Amino acid sequence: MLRRLILILLVALAPGAAVAVDYRSGSLRVTDPWGRASAGPTSAAYLVILNDGGTADRLIGATSPAAERVEMHVHLMEGDVMRMRQIEAVDLPAGAITRFAPGGHHLMLLGLTAPLQEGAAIPLTLVFEGAGTLTITVPIGKMGAAGPATGG
């Protein structure tokens, strides 16, 4: 039993193992940030925002030293065509979970200062209407990844 516990701990602490990190600002909790490697001047970042409080908030902006600008976007169906649109804010209802994922809400990193490399990480500062600013670290996964790297 002790051997099994030691083995589990060694695997969990091995280089490249995924480590869950939660970031908090007021009643907002940000989890599971990740981004995609890029060959060109744009990429995207994704995350989950949980509003544990009793008051709604809004994500009203984001910045990163890795990009000239960060825009909030959403994918919408227009007829038979999926289109990406910039949005000014994302509502974060009280007690709700808001997911930024491929095909939905996402943060576009525009004018990258350098291509994002798999295995790297970038800082991203989120700006909330009520909870203020929160700087998180976004690990960069494979180009075209559908989800965060699992470390394995």
Side-chain angles (χ1 to χ4, degrees), residues 55-81:
T55 306
D57 205 334
R58 298 173 79 209
L59 178 63
I60 57 173
T63 62
S64 175
E68 290 176 10
R69 67 185 192 280
V70 178
E71 295 179 355
M72 292 178 286
H73 286 200
V74 68
H75 281 99
L76 301 169
M77 284 299 290
E78 292 181 357
D80 293 338
V81 178

Side-chain angles (χ1 to χ4, degrees), residues 4-91:
R4 178 185 259 180
L5 179 59
I6 291 171
L7 180 60
I8 290 170
L9 286 173
L10 287 174
V11 169
L13 297 175
V19 178
V21 177
D22 286 359
Y23 301 89
R24 188 171 276 285
S25 182
S27 64
L28 301 179
R29 188 164 40 111
V30 177
T31 67
D32 303 320
W34 65 282
R36 290 180 172 151
S38 67
T42 64
S43 189
Y46 310 96
L47 47 86
V48 177
I49 302 174
L50 299 91
N51 185 344
D52 296 332
T55 306
D57 205 334
R58 298 173 79 209
L59 178 63
I60 57 173
T63 62
S64 175
E68 290 176 10
R69 67 185 192 280
V70 178
E71 295 179 355
M72 292 178 286
H73 286 200
V74 68
H75 281 99
L76 301 169
M77 284 299 290
E78 292 181 357
D80 293 338
V81 178
M82 179 73 78
R83 300 204 186 270
M84 184 172 60
R85 296 278 185 239
Q86 183 180 359
I87 54 178
E88 296 301 316
V90 175
D91 292 329

Side-chain angles (χ1 to χ4, degrees), residues 122-146:
I122 62 166
L124 179 70
T125 300
L126 305 171
V127 183
F128 300 101
E129 192 171 72
T133 61
L134 177 64
T135 300
I136 65 173
T137 299
V138 178
I140 304 302
K142 292 182 180 184
M143 199 175 298

